[in-house]
Amino acid sequence: MNSHFVRLFRLSVCFLAFVTLSLSAQDKAPAATPSNARWQIPATDDGLPGSGPIRRADWFRKLWSERRAAWAARAEQDQGGLVLLGDSITQGWGEDFSAAFPGVKIANRGISGDTSRGVLIRLKEDVLDLKPAAVVLLIGTNDLEDQADPKASPPI
């Protein structure tokens, strides 16, 4: 089997297990005080759940905050839908699925360049607060690009 696929699979499984264990830690993350800072990527790792890479390049910070602010504005209409969660591949799926999946409410929460830890940081507000009917998760590619070590992930 392709070693990159095996690593990606292991990282994804570990991530899902870690999400389950980390939701209480998510609630303890420091909250930003100014309203516009709420959607910014945290400046440091202090107090954040999980481990692994978090992208903080200017282009990513801008995309992260723009997409999250836009989602917050439409959170009420996205309640109870199918949430697509992930990175650039997920973001690339777009927002309009009406032709492909008639009658299915879909909320795309993909951010190009995001990592597994980035998804963990935004999981509560961007996904769980929507009380989704289901979640499609596609994450891990950028972790591998950033040389994340799947062995450093928590055991299942």
Side-chain angles (χ1 to χ4, degrees):
M1 201 178 256
N2 183 327
S3 65
H4 289 292
F5 175 77
V6 171
R7 276 199 240 144
L8 180 59
F9 178 77
R10 286 181 183 163
L11 187 62
S12 297
V13 169
C14 290
F15 173 73
L16 289 173
F18 187 72
V19 165
T20 304
L21 299 172
S22 298
L23 290 178
S24 63
Q26 174 79 25
D27 293 334
K28 295 176 186 172
T33 46
S35 62
N36 65 346
R38 179 177 182 186
W39 307 118
Q40 300 296 317
I41 193 159
T44 70
D45 290 0
D46 295 341
L48 297 178
S51 62
I54 299 174
R55 294 196 165 170
R56 291 192 172 95
D58 289 342
W59 69 268
F60 184 72
R61 288 177 182 272
K62 183 176 186 298
L63 182 62
W64 169 285
S65 62
E66 287 173 353
R67 291 191 60 84
R68 295 193 74 216
W71 296 334
R74 57 177 289 145
E76 189 170 318
Q77 76 185 59
D78 288 340
Q79 290 289 313
L82 169 64
V83 176
L84 310 176
L85 176 61
D87 53 26
S88 60
I89 297 168
T90 309
Q91 181 179 335
W93 292 340
E95 299 295 333
D96 185 15
F97 286 86
S98 58
F101 302 100
V104 178
K105 183 194 305 188
I106 297 179
N108 189 327
R109 296 300 190 260
I111 298 179
S112 181
D114 211 354
T115 61
S116 295
R117 189 168 187 203
V119 165
L120 180 61
I121 292 166
R122 60 189 182 87
L123 183 66
K124 183 175 182 327
E125 288 180 323
D126 294 353
V127 179
L128 298 178
D129 286 353
L130 297 178
K131 297 177 181 57
V135 177
V136 174
L137 176 67
L138 193 157
I139 199 70
T141 311
N142 296 313
D143 297 72
L144 294 175
E145 182 182 346
D146 286 352
Q147 309 292 312
D149 181 4
K151 293 177 187 170
S153 299
I156 297 176

